[in-house]
Amino acid sequence: MNKKNFKDQLNEMIGKTFQYGNSIHCVISYKTDEEREKCILQTNLSTFEKPFEAMNEFLKYWKPTSSIMSLPTEIDYNQQVTLILDEGNNLSSQLIKTLTETIDNVKNNKEYIPQAQTIVNSTNTIVNIEKMRLSYLKLKIAFGK
């Protein structure tokens, strides 16, 4: 992948969420250091610094989280807050329904417990993603970007 290609890919990643390793990252920005031939990628969780020649391999491990909507890029913060609250309410209702069904299934059949544990773990991951999105919005509001 040449420098232009990975820059194009990084530009497309800004403001979106990706799974990298066992974490969900929201890509905030990136910079290139032409003198040192390195790229610096900033996410809500970490900063990654990689040589240009390693970027192709590095970006292969970033998987889009298509089930997670990225935050709008407009500066209308009221609209963003409303959107997040609406999505959160819908998601909360779905999660409560799923967890209630899971509790009923465990009560009726103890063999359902392993599946219930998976559902609870997935639910916790979704809650953590929503927390990350709210933190990202707080940062955008705090820095006016």
Side-chain angles (χ1 to χ4, degrees), residues 79-93:
Q79 181 182 2
Q80 290 180 354
V81 170
T82 302
L83 176 68
I84 288 173
L85 291 176
D86 287 344
E87 290 174 5
N89 287 337
N90 291 336
L91 183 59
S92 294
S93 297

Side-chain angles (χ1 to χ4, degrees), residues 12-128:
E12 291 293 319
M13 293 171 69
I14 292 175
K16 297 178 183 164
T17 54
F18 295 84
Q19 180 175 352
Y20 176 71
N22 291 326
S23 300
I24 302 293
H25 293 263
C26 182
V27 176
I28 297 171
S29 66
Y30 79 94
K31 291 187 247 179
T32 56
D33 183 340
E34 300 294 331
E35 186 176 295
R36 293 176 36 213
E37 295 190 346
K38 293 191 181 269
C39 183
I40 302 153
L41 178 65
Q42 177 70 45
T43 73
N44 63 311
L45 300 177
S46 192
T47 300
F48 302 91
E49 184 173 320
K50 301 288 180 187
F52 288 162
E53 69 255 10
M55 288 303 293
N56 183 26
E57 189 67 24
F58 176 65
L59 292 176
K60 285 181 184 177
Y61 295 101
W62 289 76
K63 304 297 178 202
T65 53
S66 58
S67 62
I68 303 168
M69 291 182 62
S70 54
L71 291 174
T73 56
E74 293 84 32
I75 304 291
D76 185 353
Y77 299 117
N78 289 333
Q79 181 182 2
Q80 290 180 354
V81 170
T82 302
L83 176 68
I84 288 173
L85 291 176
D86 287 344
E87 290 174 5
N89 287 337
N90 291 336
L91 183 59
S92 294
S93 297
Q94 291 173 348
L95 291 176
I96 290 169
K97 181 181 176 191
T98 300
L99 291 172
T100 303
E101 290 170 357
T102 301
I103 291 168
D104 290 339
N105 288 337
V106 168
K107 285 180 182 177
N108 295 330
N109 182 357
K110 300 299 181 201
E111 291 177 13
Y112 191 76
I113 290 174
Q115 187 174 352
Q117 289 170 328
T118 300
I119 291 169
V120 169
N121 289 341
S122 297
T123 301
N124 286 334
T125 300
I126 292 169
V127 168
N128 288 332

